[in-house]
Amino acid sequence: VAHQQLPDSLPPQHNGDTGTSSMNAEPYDVTPPGGTAGEVLARYLRERATAFLRALSLRAENETEADAILRGTARRIGGVLHVYGPLTDPGWAEPLRAELGWLATVLGREPQYAGRLARLLDALRRLSVTVEEQESVTVGGAPPRAPSGGPLELGAARAGALLERRLTLARTRAHSASLQALGSSRFHAVADAIAVLASEVPLAPAAAAPAAGAMAPLAAHAYRRLCEAATALPLHRAGHPYNADAVHASLGADLTTDLQDAPWHQVRVLLRLSRYATEVIRPEDGTADLQRLADAAGPLQRHREAAESASAVAAAARTPRIAPATAYALGVLHADQRHEVEAARFAFSRLWQPAVPGPRGQ
Amino acid sequence: VAHQQLPDSLPPQHNGDTGTSSMNAEPYDVTPPGGTAGEVLARYLRERATAFLRALSLRAENETEADAILRGTARRIGGVLHVYGPLTDPGWAEPLRAELGWLATVLGREPQYAGRLARLLDALRRLSVTVEEQESVTVGGAPPRAPSGGPLELGAARAGALLERRLTLARTRAHSASLQALGSSRFHAVADAIAVLASEVPLAPAAAAPAAGAMAPLAAHAYRRLCEAATALPLHRAGHPYNADAVHASLGADLTTDLQDAPWHQVRVLLRLSRYATEVIRPEDGTADLQRLADAAGPLQRHREAAESASAVAAAARTPRIAPATAYALGVLHADQRHEVEAARFAFSRLWQPAVPGPRGQ
């Protein structure tokens, strides 16, 4: 296989070690397909870039689906450029990564608000359901009746209406912002860069080395960062159900909760990077590893959604002149979402240790 | 050993079976001390009656301690008269049981309100503690600082003050009620009955049988009722942490939560009866069994306290004209206590199955 994608300036054998290093000597058990690192990386990036461009033309038909693909591919390309940074031209990759991050964030807001509202309205329904309704749902009998109207139940309905108003407004604004972003010259520059990527990836000299030797250490490094961050989490404590850690600061300043949640959010990001890195080097036979990483990502995703939903509830509770019953229902809902945070940590702590093996040879 | 405490009308051998029945033939593994059932039962009741009378004279010195003993002995005597009912004169035991129930309830209210307030103020502190405070507490460093004053933290302080006002008032009223009860002729009649009990227990003819044969089936029956009620609980579901069952109806009518909690409260009462019954027949060598029952009682006690604390919070939230921030804090606190209910169910479900063996031969 020729090094057709590498710049001419590449020294023919820049690193003698990589040619002889076996996979077992690497700390991370990867089996990248044959060929140079540049070929493997370029193949992955080209595929994602093509998907990105296809989604752009799909937007007229199905905006939601197209935006999801744009977000996903933007995150993947950005993540892969980060993990395999030493294999690409940094002067090209770094600014593109920043722009892809901006795009994914802007496009991500609308579905986040939609998901948050759905989650909170679901929780309110769950919190105000009566035993009879529960049973009728369980046996598939009569349709749920209207709440039997205690003052606190009225509060739940009003809290739901307040959240719906606030989050629908936020969602509408996020939709406008993403439309505006997609029409901006900033976005067109990103799309141009992606179009270039679909045909040619600007690689660094290191990409000429065989994929196994050049990519495995980078993927292992990403995995190691994930493991270190996950190990630093209070997993032992989180593994004890009902430890009430996540509700500790429910009535404290937001900052307190944010500080507590941040390391978990960080692990979520590192887990995603490790997933994308694994996708590149194990496109076919890595499904078990990918499945494990995806399984561990689930609770962290729920952790983030619950934490942000709890914050949205606290923000709604600061609305001036709300009725005490509304505030009470928001308080119950806030604590409920903080318990969901705790439940997600519990689930992750159970999943992480046995399911995701540590990197080999460490 | 002579049947000196039995009425003269007792037939000398009223039940031929009990004389030969071995303990192993009984479904419940009990080893009552030798002697007749009447002797064993009378010994236990005399001890408790003496403790009751001693506590009465202790009241002038230490009201709290004396009342705790009065409550405990009243509950024990009442419970034992219930389980071993066939061994005592029903015309005497039944009315006494009812009066002991009244006394234990009246004397129990004040400490319940005190415990509830302490639990809720503790929970409020826990819910509004900041990360820095948490850490300083953990490392035993600086004393906790005052909350840094967000609107929701002000709500926590106001909710605490509201609960303190309400529960202190309830506690003061309960104290007056118990003083009034202890000065009433109704109480003097109970105390007279207990004084009689300290010297002579009115027994039924069945009490002349050997203790092993006559008492074991009654204790086994109490234990069987406990097992049946515990088995009917949703223990499997409760054993899955974060099932969110106990918060389901947090915003629903109180009735809904009460219906959900009632079977657990019932198991708590049956567990207590079984403990008292075991105390009578295994005064020395039954410590392991008693310890197991006491261990299982812990979570059910917490279940009840958390459930009643949650109700007290909901009641406080119905106070007219409270500030939204106060109502919000009460909502968070309510959900927190309902999660404590869920945590207690989880703990009981883990403890019950392995720790308390089923009755033998069933």
Side-chain angles (χ1 to χ4, degrees):
Chain A
V1 186
H3 294 183
Q4 76 273 18
Q5 284 146 347
L6 300 177
D8 291 338
S9 60
L10 181 77
Q13 194 67 306
H14 74 291
N15 185 350
D17 285 339
T18 52
T20 54
S21 75
S22 82
M23 274 172 303
N24 290 342
E26 296 301 329
Y28 187 63
D29 176 30
V30 288
T31 53
T36 66
E39 285 164 357
V40 171
L41 184 60
R43 191 183 309 137
Y44 181 88
L45 290 174
R46 269 201 308 272
E47 279 169 17
R48 301 299 159 177
T50 309
F52 184 97
L53 298 171
R54 247 202 320 264
L56 261 189
S57 56
L58 176 75
R59 268 203 110 248
E61 288 167 50
N62 189 335
E63 210 177 276
T64 311
E65 194 188 328
D67 284 3
I69 298 171
L70 290 178
R71 270 197 326 274
T73 49
R75 274 207 306 258
R76 274 181 166 76
I77 294 169
V80 163
L81 290 179
H82 178 66
V83 172
Y84 298 109
L87 303 180
T88 57
D89 173 6
W92 162 81
E94 286 298 318
L96 180 56
R97 269 186 56 210
E99 290 306 280
L100 289 170
W102 160 75
L103 183 64
T105 303
V106 169
L107 295 182
R109 279 198 195 111
E110 190 194 347
Q112 270 170 26
Y113 286 124
R116 202 166 298 164
L117 179 60
R119 163 181 270 271
L120 289 173
L121 293 183
D122 261 7
L124 272 176
R125 259 190 293 275
R126 178 165 52 77
L127 290 168
S128 41
V129 80
T130 64
V131 166
E132 302 78 43
E133 282 167 21
Q134 228 171 299
E135 281 167 357
S136 75
V137 168
T138 310
V139 302
R145 288 171 304 157
S148 44
L152 301 180
E153 271 171 336
L154 292 178
R158 291 171 79 166
L162 174 61
L163 289 168
E164 187 143 24
R165 223 158 38 234
R166 289 175 60 93
L167 288 170
T168 305
L169 180 64
R171 187 185 167 174
T172 308
R173 284 187 180 149
H175 184 71
S176 307
S178 72
L179 282 183
Q180 209 171 356
L182 290 173
S184 69
S185 57
R186 186 174 180 182
F187 175 73
H188 286 296
V190 176
D192 286 349
I194 298 291
V196 169
L197 199 61
S199 61
E200 194 193 337
V201 178
L203 293 168
M215 304 189 85
L218 298 173
H221 178 69
Y223 187 72
R224 204 158 43 236
R225 279 190 66 200
L226 164 64
C227 290
E228 281 164 7
T231 305
L233 292 175
L235 289 181
H236 180 73
R237 171 103 182 138
H240 284 92
Y242 301 108
N243 56 66
D245 263 10
V247 283
H248 240 272
S250 297
L251 287 169
D254 277 0
L255 180 66
T256 317
T257 326
D258 291 350
L259 281 173
Q260 197 194 68
D261 297 343
W264 298 85
H265 295 331
Q266 177 67 3
V267 170
R268 186 185 136 267
V269 171
L270 292 173
L271 188 61
R272 198 161 68 184
L273 280 179
S274 213
R275 277 175 74 188
Y276 299 161
T278 308
E279 281 180 1
V280 180
I281 53 178
R282 306 188 114 187
E284 281 116 35
D285 67 341
T287 44
D289 269 16
L290 279 173
Q291 191 54 50
R292 276 196 217 118
L293 289 169
D295 287 348
L300 293 176
Q301 185 60 32
R302 288 204 304 282
H303 181 273
R304 186 206 187 196
E305 284 166 7
E308 294 189 339
S309 298
S311 295
V313 173
R318 289 192 193 92
T319 308
R321 287 180 302 280
I322 54 172
T326 311
Y328 181 79
L330 290 172
V332 170
L333 185 58
H334 179 101
D336 175 72
Q337 290 302 302
R338 290 305 303 173
H339 273 100
E340 294 278 308
V341 166
E342 195 179 300
R345 291 181 189 171
F346 172 77
F348 179 76
S349 77
R350 289 291 160 114
L351 223 62
W352 178 252
Q353 309 271 21
V356 181
R360 286 198 188 183
Q362 295 217 297
Chain B
V1 186
H3 294 182
Q4 76 272 20
Q5 285 147 349
L6 299 176
D8 291 337
S9 59
L10 180 79
Q13 194 68 304
H14 75 289
N15 184 350
D17 285 340
T18 53
T20 55
S21 75
S22 81
M23 276 173 301
N24 290 342
E26 297 300 331
Y28 188 63
D29 176 29
V30 287
T31 52
T36 66
E39 284 163 358
V40 171
L41 184 60
R43 191 183 309 137
Y44 181 88
L45 290 175
R46 267 201 308 271
E47 279 169 17
R48 301 298 160 179
T50 308
F52 184 96
L53 298 172
R54 247 200 321 262
L56 260 189
S57 55
L58 176 74
R59 269 203 109 248
E61 288 166 51
N62 190 335
E63 210 177 277
T64 311
E65 194 190 327
D67 284 4
I69 298 172
L70 289 178
R71 272 197 325 274
T73 49
R75 273 206 307 259
R76 275 182 165 77
I77 294 169
V80 163
L81 290 179
H82 177 66
V83 172
Y84 298 109
L87 304 179
T88 57
D89 173 5
W92 162 81
E94 286 298 318
L96 180 56
R97 271 187 54 212
E99 290 306 279
L100 289 169
W102 160 75
L103 182 64
T105 304
V106 169
L107 294 182
R109 278 199 195 112
E110 191 195 346
Q112 270 170 26
Y113 287 124
R116 203 168 298 164
L117 179 60
R119 163 181 269 271
L120 289 172
L121 294 183
D122 261 7
L124 272 176
R125 259 190 294 274
R126 180 166 49 78
L127 290 168
S128 42
V129 81
T130 65
V131 165
E132 302 79 41
E133 283 166 19
Q134 228 172 297
E135 281 167 359
S136 76
V137 168
T138 310
V139 300
R145 288 172 302 155
S148 45
L152 301 180
E153 271 171 336
L154 293 177
R158 291 171 78 165
L162 174 61
L163 290 168
E164 187 143 25
R165 223 158 39 234
R166 289 175 60 94
L167 288 170
T168 304
L169 180 63
R171 187 185 167 175
T172 308
R173 283 186 180 150
H175 184 71
S176 305
S178 72
L179 281 182
Q180 209 173 358
L182 290 173
S184 69
S185 57
R186 187 174 178 182
F187 173 73
H188 286 296
V190 176
D192 286 349
I194 299 291
V196 169
L197 198 61
S199 60
E200 194 194 335
V201 178
L203 294 168
M215 304 188 84
L218 298 173
H221 177 70
Y223 187 72
R224 205 158 43 237
R225 281 191 65 199
L226 163 64
C227 290
E228 282 164 8
T231 305
L233 293 175
L235 288 181
H236 181 74
R237 172 103 182 140
H240 284 92
Y242 301 107
N243 57 64
D245 262 10
V247 283
H248 241 272
S250 297
L251 288 169
D254 277 0
L255 180 67
T256 316
T257 326
D258 291 350
L259 281 173
Q260 198 195 67
D261 297 342
W264 298 85
H265 295 331
Q266 177 67 4
V267 169
R268 185 185 135 269
V269 171
L270 292 173
L271 187 61
R272 199 161 68 184
L273 280 178
S274 214
R275 277 174 75 188
Y276 298 161
T278 308
E279 281 179 1
V280 179
I281 54 178
R282 305 188 113 186
E284 281 115 34
D285 67 342
T287 46
D289 268 18
L290 278 174
Q291 192 53 51
R292 276 197 219 115
L293 289 168
D295 288 348
L300 294 176
Q301 184 61 29
R302 288 204 303 282
H303 180 274
R304 187 206 187 196
E305 284 166 7
E308 294 190 339
S309 298
S311 295
V313 173
R318 291 192 192 92
T319 308
R321 287 181 301 282
I322 54 173
T326 312
Y328 181 79
L330 290 172
V332 170
L333 185 58
H334 179 102
D336 175 72
Q337 291 301 302
R338 291 305 303 173
H339 273 101
E340 293 278 307
V341 166
E342 197 179 298
R345 291 181 189 172
F346 172 76
F348 180 77
S349 78
R350 289 291 160 115
L351 223 63
W352 178 251
Q353 308 272 21
V356 182
R360 287 200 186 180
Q362 294 218 298

